[in-house]
Amino acid sequence: MREQDFIPKQFSNTLENGEVTWSSPSNIALVKYWGKKENQIPANPSVSFTLQNCKTTTRMKFQKKAAPSATFDFELYFEGEKKEDFKPKIQQFFERIAQYAPFLKDYRFTIYTENSFPHSSGIASSASGMSALALCVMSLEKELNPEISTVTGITNEAFFYKKASFLARLGSGSACRSLEGELIEWGEHKNIPASSDLFGIKYPFEIAEVFKSFQDTILLVDKGQKQVSSSVGHNLMHGHPFADSRFAQAHENLDKLKTVFASGNLEEFIAIVESEALTLHAMMMSSHPYFILMKPNTLEIINKVWEFRKATKIPVCFTLDAGANVHLLYPENSKEKVLEFIKNELVVYCEKGQYICDQVGKGAEKL
C-alpha cells in the first residue's frame, strides 16, 4: 500500500456531534527501531510484544463548526486537568495527518486522556497515547464514510486498522505497533510478507504458545524525565559510524526470530533480545553527542538477572528502552518464582520500590 491509498476520496455521511473512546496499550520492542528517515519512516524493521495492562484511554468529543476553518480547534485534558503543554504534540500530529483526515478542521474537539500507569514511569506513553488518538480519528472517519477502504481486496475492517496504524506512526513511530497483538512487526523486511514502513502488521508466521502469554514486569529504576528525547536519539543515527551495521543486524535478528517464535526456543530468544537491548544503548554511547541512559541500578539488575538465570535455569531475560528502566520478560509458568526473585533481590534497585506487572495482550479496544 502507498501513502495515497490513505487519502479519503469522499464522505457519504454528515455528522454534527458525538464522541468516541478507545483504549490502546503500550508495547515493548524485542528487535529495536532506532534511527528514522523523513516522515517517520524507520531506518530498520522492528518487532514488539503488545502489552495488556499499561494502556491509555482516550475519549474524543467532537462538535461540527458553524463555518469552515483553516485551523485545528481542540482542548486537551490529561487525567482530568487541562494540559496546555501537551497541545503542541497534538497540533503537530493533526498537521501531519491533515491530508489523510481532512475533516479534522471541520470539528471542534475536546480530548480526554488518561494512563493506567504512572506518568513519567518510563512506559512508552507516546505509543499508547498516539495509537488511542489515531483510533478515535479513524472512528470519526468511519462514521463519515462507512465504506472506508480505498483498496480493492482489503476489507473495511482491515483497512481501518492499517490506516489507524499509519496515522499513529505519524504521531509516534512506535505507536503503529500498539493497535493489535500479540506480536507486531513494523518496517520493510525482504523475508516478511506484507511488511511495510508505513504501518505495523500482525506478525505473519507461526508463534509458539509460550510467547502468547509472556510476562513483562517493568522495574522502575528512574522515573525522571529522559536525558534525551526519542526524536533526538533517533536523529543521532544519521552519520553514526556503526549505523549500517546496526541496521543490518536488525534484519538478521528478525530472520533468526522466525525460527525462535515458531519453536519456542527460549535460550535463543533470550540471546537475541538481550543483545538487541544492549546494542540500542551501545548506539547511544557511541553517537555524537553521546549519552549513557542506564543508571548504576540498571546494571545491578542486569547482573542479578544473569546470576539468577544461571543458578536456577529459569528463562527470564531483560530488555531496555531508551532509558534506565528494565523490562523483565519470562514465560507465564515461571511467574511465581520470578516475582519472588524480584521482591527478594531486585526491588531494592527500583525507585521507591516500584515495579509494574504486565503481560502480552491482544491490542486496542473500543469502549
Side-chain angles (χ1 to χ4, degrees), residues 1 6 27 42 45-50 154 158-166 168-169 173-205 207 254 261 361-363:
M1 293 180 68
F6 297 112
N27 65 76
S46 58
V47 68
S48 60
F49 277 142
T50 306
I154 296 182
F159 185 86
F160 178 97
Y161 281 99
K162 285 184 187 298
K163 183 169 179 179
S165 180
F166 172 84
R169 186 197 95 243
S174 60
C176 76
R177 299 191 310 240
S178 277
L179 284 75
E180 300 179 274
E182 293 101 353
L183 275 171
I184 299 295
E185 192 276 345
W186 170 41
E188 289 186 9
H189 188 286
K190 65 180 181 179
N191 296 324
I192 300 180
S195 60
S196 174
D197 288 340
L198 301 180
F199 47 80
I201 63 167
K202 288 176 71 71
Y203 188 73
F205 303 120
I207 305 171
L254 274 169
F261 286 143
K362 300 295 186 181

Side-chain angles (χ1 to χ4, degrees), residues 211-241:
F211 293 118
K212 296 180 181 180
S213 59
F214 233 61
Q215 306 293 298
D216 178 8
T217 300
I218 304 109
L219 306 177
L220 304 180
V221 173
D222 183 6
K223 294 172 62 180
Q225 187 171 352
K226 288 193 293 187
Q227 182 182 347
V228 57
S229 72
S230 294
S231 294
V232 170
H234 284 295
N235 287 335
L236 291 174
M237 291 299 284
H238 296 299
H240 193 293

